[in-house]
Amino acid sequence: MAWALNAGEVPGTMAWTEMDVHARVNWWVWRVGAVDTIAVAFPGALGVLGDRLPVQDLVGFTSQAIVLCAVAREYGVTDRRQQVRLLAAVLCRRDLDGDQDGDGNSGQIPSDLPHLALHLIGLFRAIGDELAKRPRPRGVFRYLGMLPAVGALVDYVGELGALVRTAKAGQGWIAAHLGES
């Protein structure tokens, strides 16, 4: 069992410790990310109908966040605040430097039902908007992904490309903001 894990260059093995940081980042993208991307691309099997469901953005955002956190750890970034800044910058295009309470809201929740319902609707829209900011497949993949049946395969290739760009953007952010190379 140990030989098989070492041959697969799994984290924690001797082969893993012998890999440089770029090889370990590639491992996270091309092994973990490639498997996660199957779940991201699955709604594409429904064609244009699958694109109407917010599931793909949610799962895609989650997959990219997992890989970005792994990239951060490979570069020695284990502080949660720094990881959150990285995720916000790469996935949501937000700069959290000095951002205390981005919406200026006092944190109070409306007490009557109609206002609460409107508040929740706005909150869910805002969440959807943030999920949609993540790096996405290039345009050609988005259009071809609308085709029924082959949409899942096209979405897979497009989402994998977006994941690779996400990991590179994460590495760039770490180098620019935390002085790592």
Side-chain angles (χ1 to χ4, degrees), residues 82-150:
Q82 297 298 345
Q83 289 177 348
V84 168
R85 287 180 56 219
L86 168 67
L87 293 173
V90 174
L91 296 181
C92 301
R93 295 183 229 133
R94 289 186 176 268
D95 183 8
L96 297 184
D97 291 336
D99 187 16
Q100 302 301 319
D101 186 19
D103 62 358
N105 190 351
S106 65
Q108 294 180 341
I109 296 176
S111 59
D112 60 275
L113 192 55
H115 283 102
L116 180 60
L118 288 175
H119 180 74
L120 289 175
I121 289 170
L123 180 64
F124 287 130
R125 280 191 183 143
I127 291 170
D129 291 346
E130 290 302 311
L131 294 176
K133 288 180 183 177
R134 72 184 177 90
R136 301 178 59 105
R138 302 216 188 266
V140 67
F141 293 106
R142 286 191 302 227
Y143 291 117
L144 292 175
M146 293 180 192
L147 299 172
V150 297

Side-chain angles (χ1 to χ4, degrees), residues 21-22 71-72 74-77 170-181:
V21 69
H22 296 294
V71 167
E74 293 306 328
Y75 278 92
V77 180
Q171 290 173 303
W173 187 91
I174 291 168
H177 290 86
L178 303 176
E180 301 288 330
S181 57

